[in-house]
Amino acid sequence: DAGVTQSPTHLIKTRGQQVTLRCSPKSGHDTVSWYQQALGQGPQFIFQYYEEEERQRGNFPDRFSGHQFPNYSSELNVNALLLGDSALYLCASRYLSGRYEQYFGPGTRLTVT
Amino acid sequence: GQNIDQPTEMTATEGAIVQINCTYQTSGFNGLFWYQQHAGEAPTFLSYNVLDGLEEKGRFSSFLSRSKGYSYLLLKELQMKDSASYLCVLGNTPLVFGKGTRLSVIA
């Protein structure tokens, strides 16, 4: 049973560029959440997708957008990258009506130079 | 709003017991999680408390007091592999994470 997978593992981008990160949820899960984790901090919620719609959003600017596909996989897009966007981006999945804990993917380490 | 406080760093000796405390403020409560996160890796689920009391799972136990806004994670028989960050997390929707306690286990 595959867990949550994310790609790519690492990414280096330049200020002003755009980036797309990808996530495949754990088998049987239908809800995907994205988090940003800066060094030495806890993860910060970006948004959550369920049934291909953004259901909740954290305190992040519109430069952060996402998508969920019919197979429940998801993308996180960040436009006009800033140095402060450098972080570990985590994807977590769960079954909305099922058990309470979220399962996290290994993350994508984004470095903006 | 929500707020979570936990110590930034702790050090303990291999084989010992360590208690990581967490205090929180929240307007609505939907349980409290503890996650373990090794450096550069994803958080992994350790425990979930929604009622007051102690939940035991092998070497790890978690306690909750809703009236005091307090939880702790107890790790027994510490091993070197327990060196990690431990995140106290409010089970609201969405999850609200503390900054984590970095535990170093020394020989």
Side-chain angles (χ1 to χ4, degrees), chain B residues 60-79:
Chain B
F60 291 39
S61 302
S62 58
F63 172 83
L64 175 68
S65 169
R66 289 173 294 172
S67 61
K68 295 182 180 179
Y70 169 68
S71 174
Y72 68 72
L73 180 69
L74 191 72
L75 293 77
K76 304 177 185 176
E77 302 169 13
L78 279 172
Q79 302 175 9

Side-chain angles (χ1 to χ4, degrees), chain B residues 11-30:
Chain B
T11 302
T13 305
E14 194 175 15
I17 299 173
V18 70
Q19 179 175 311
I20 302 174
N21 295 322
C22 169
T23 57
Y24 63 87
Q25 296 85 41
T26 180
S27 53
F29 182 77
N30 288 299

Side-chain angles (χ1 to χ4, degrees), chain A residues 2-16:
Chain A
V4 181
T5 60
Q6 291 186 243
S7 62
T9 307
H10 294 86
L11 202 53
I12 301 175
K13 289 286 189 178
T14 304
R15 273 181 301 176

